[in-house]
């Protein structure tokens, strides 16, 4: 579709009504005005995430005050600064975590949630970073307290989140097991550093991790499945083990024997990133800059890109994600 630009407007993707990928339509919107503590980014690339699919379906509305344009992460160049922003400059190449508005030519982002793009990365790679790296950092290393020498089990190892969790956990010296729905995806997880990919359709992950750890179990489970996985996660945990829930694809309810929590001194926690404050997201950004940016700069970690689609074809990008055939991240180019 051809969209003739008018001054002060931009191309963006709208969700015309809750529904399938076809409800994502190109539209003209006003270029956002950055607030005092925000920057305006001319977007080169925007990451696609499972929560965008849920938003499109009407199951994950944007928080109050946030644009209805989908998109939780962008990479591009800063073209305007809010009055209170002093740590960034126009012309800086940044990637940013945003609460919405990424599927557009321009996007306003809180300055604390922007990170300069390492020279070694393309805009497409940089756009694939914020949502999964912020999520993995805060859940695996902050809440989950994963340490060098410990063992992680990550469900959905070939997802955007999973590919990031495998690489970061390995880089920080952990052993990693990852579940995925095909043998091919399991091998992809192993190429990224997982000791063993576990096909959850043909194998029992509790048995596999117990066998591989001499019956000890794993120190941390990062779970995006929930529901009936929760009692099995608990079974897979070692003494002092932690279970961190980040999504509930099998539903919010589980029947659980609580005795192992007492006997093995276990923790169960979880979080969602989007509603957290700018201060909290800024703190995660600083921790990433300090601990993870050196790994990206040296190429020790690199976002896994499954495919790219032009912004106007956002519907195709969502079809790709919903096909479940992807390994790693799907990115829109602007
Ligand atoms: N809490 C937070 O802050 C936060 C932030 C971002 C994302 N998330 C959540 O994290 C998940 C991954 O997001 P994404 O953007 O990376 O999406 P994605 O690439 O579409 O990942 C979804 C993953 O779930 C896996 N999965 C589905 N059923 C499974 C099962 N029974 N056992 C093991 N794995 C299973 C899929 O594996 P197969 O395709 O192999 O079946 C797929 O890898 C999503 O559920 C998303 O909502 C949470």
């Amino acid at each position: 579709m051809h969209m003739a630009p008018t001054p002060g407007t931009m191309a963006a993707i709208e969700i015309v009504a809750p529904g399938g990928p076809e409800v994502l339509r190109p539209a003209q919107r006003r270029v956002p005005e950055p607030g005092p503590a925000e920057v305006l980014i001319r977007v080169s690339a925007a990451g696609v995430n499972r929560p965008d699919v849920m938003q499109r379906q009407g199951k994950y509305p944007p928080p109050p005050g946030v644009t209805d344009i989908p998109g939780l992460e962008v990479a591009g160049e800063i073209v305007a600064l809010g009055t209170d922003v002093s740590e960034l400059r126009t012309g800086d190449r940044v990637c940013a975590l945003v609460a919405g508005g990424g599927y557009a030519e321009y996007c306003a982002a809180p300055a604390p949630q922007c990170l300069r793009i390492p020279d070694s990365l393309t805009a497409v790679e940089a756009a694939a970073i914020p949502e999964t790296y912020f999520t993995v950092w805060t859940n695996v290393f902050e809440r989950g307290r994963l340490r060098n020498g410990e063992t992680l089990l990550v469900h959905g190892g070939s997802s955007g989140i999973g590919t990031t969790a495998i690489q970061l956990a390995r880089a920080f010296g952990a052993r990693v097991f990852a579940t995925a729905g095909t043998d091919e995806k399991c091998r992809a997880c192993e190429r990224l550093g997982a000791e063993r990919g576990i096909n959850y359709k043909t194998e029992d992950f509790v048995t596999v991790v117990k066998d591989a750890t001499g019956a000890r179990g794993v120190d941390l489970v990062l779970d995006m499945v929930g529901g009936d996985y929760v009692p099995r996660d608990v079974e897979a945990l070692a003494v002092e083990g932690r279970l961190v829930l980040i999504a509930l694809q099998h539903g919010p309810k589980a029947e659980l024997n609580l005795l192992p929590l007492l006997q093995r001194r276990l923790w169960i926690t979880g979080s969602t990133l989007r509603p957290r404050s700018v201060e909290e997201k800024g703190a995660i950004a600083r921790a990433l800059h300090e601990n993870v940016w050196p790994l990206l700069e040296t190429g020790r970690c690199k976002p896994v890109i499954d495919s790219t689609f032009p912004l106007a074809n956002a519907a195709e990008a969502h079809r790709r994600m919903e096909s479940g055939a992807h390994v790693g991240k799907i990115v829109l180019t602007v």
Side-chain angles (χ1 to χ4, degrees):
M1 177 183 298
H2 178 70
M3 291 173 291
T6 54
T9 68
M10 63 176 186
I13 295 295
E14 280 181 345
I15 301 171
V16 293
E22 69 284 353
V23 303
L24 295 175
R25 301 255 181 86
Q28 286 290 314
R29 286 291 189 94
R30 290 197 67 74
V31 173
E33 292 255 340
E38 293 184 332
V39 301
L40 183 67
I41 298 170
R42 179 163 47 219
V43 177
S44 302
V48 174
N49 293 281
R50 182 64 54 166
D52 307 346
V53 173
M54 293 161 58
Q55 178 173 340
R56 194 203 71 214
Q57 293 166 335
K59 296 177 190 161
Y60 192 52
V66 170
T67 173
D68 61 329
I69 298 171
L72 301 173
E73 58 188 350
V74 296
E77 183 187 333
I78 294 180
V79 292
L81 302 171
T83 47
D84 296 348
V85 177
S86 55
E87 66 279 21
L88 294 163
R89 298 272 173 274
T90 56
D92 282 352
R93 281 177 83 229
V94 292
C95 58
L97 180 76
V98 290
Y103 291 15
E105 286 180 314
Y106 292 89
C107 181
Q113 295 171 208
C114 295
L115 285 152
R116 286 198 180 79
I117 301 175
D119 289 338
S120 53
L121 296 188
T122 64
V124 165
E125 289 166 335
I129 290 176
E131 179 69 11
T132 69
Y133 277 68
F134 277 68
T135 300
V136 168
W137 183 261
T138 194
N139 286 292
V140 171
F141 297 96
E142 293 180 343
R143 305 193 79 73
R145 305 188 313 279
L146 187 70
R147 298 277 176 273
N148 186 6
E150 288 194 329
T151 309
L152 167 71
L153 168 65
V154 54
H155 292 306
S158 63
S159 66
I161 296 279
T163 52
T164 303
I166 293 170
Q167 290 189 65
L168 287 185
R170 288 291 299 135
F172 286 93
R175 286 175 75 186
V176 182
F177 299 94
T179 60
T182 66
D183 289 346
E184 200 180 312
K185 287 182 181 179
C186 288
R187 301 297 85 77
C189 295
E190 289 165 2
R191 283 194 294 276
L192 287 170
E195 179 173 322
R196 173 81 150 75
I198 306 164
N199 184 337
Y200 67 80
K201 293 186 176 148
T202 58
E203 295 180 290
D204 172 31
F205 65 81
V206 179
T207 308
V208 175
V209 301
K210 288 269 174 119
D211 283 353
T213 57
R216 180 182 174 273
V218 296
D219 299 294
L220 176 65
V221 179
L222 181 68
D223 184 4
M224 57 179 74
V225 180
D228 57 341
Y229 267 38
V230 173
R232 298 171 66 202
D233 292 337
V234 164
E235 227 187 310
L237 284 174
V239 172
E240 304 276 354
R242 290 86 65 192
L243 165 59
V244 182
L245 291 156
I246 57 164
L248 304 170
Q249 297 181 76
H250 281 195
K253 293 194 179 163
E255 194 176 312
L256 195 59
N257 176 4
L258 298 173
L259 191 58
L261 274 70
L262 281 62
Q263 290 172 325
R264 279 183 274 135
R265 302 185 295 282
L266 309 179
W267 279 265
I268 300 181
T269 181
S271 75
T272 59
L273 183 62
R274 200 180 194 186
R276 295 182 75 177
S277 67
V278 171
E279 289 68 32
E280 289 173 306
K281 290 173 183 170
I284 299 169
R286 288 194 297 281
L288 282 171
H289 187 256
E290 188 180 326
N291 297 289
V292 174
W293 247 235
L295 300 171
L296 290 165
E297 280 159 358
T298 57
R300 175 77 178 79
C301 290
K302 205 179 177 99
V304 177
I305 308 299
D306 173 79
S307 48
T308 63
F309 295 85
L311 177 67
N313 289 356
E316 276 312 310
H318 276 217
R319 283 189 191 98
R320 171 84 187 154
M321 177 161 272
E322 286 177 278
S323 77
H326 63 292
V327 172
K329 295 280 300 192
I330 300 165
V331 178
L332 301 174
T333 54
V334 182

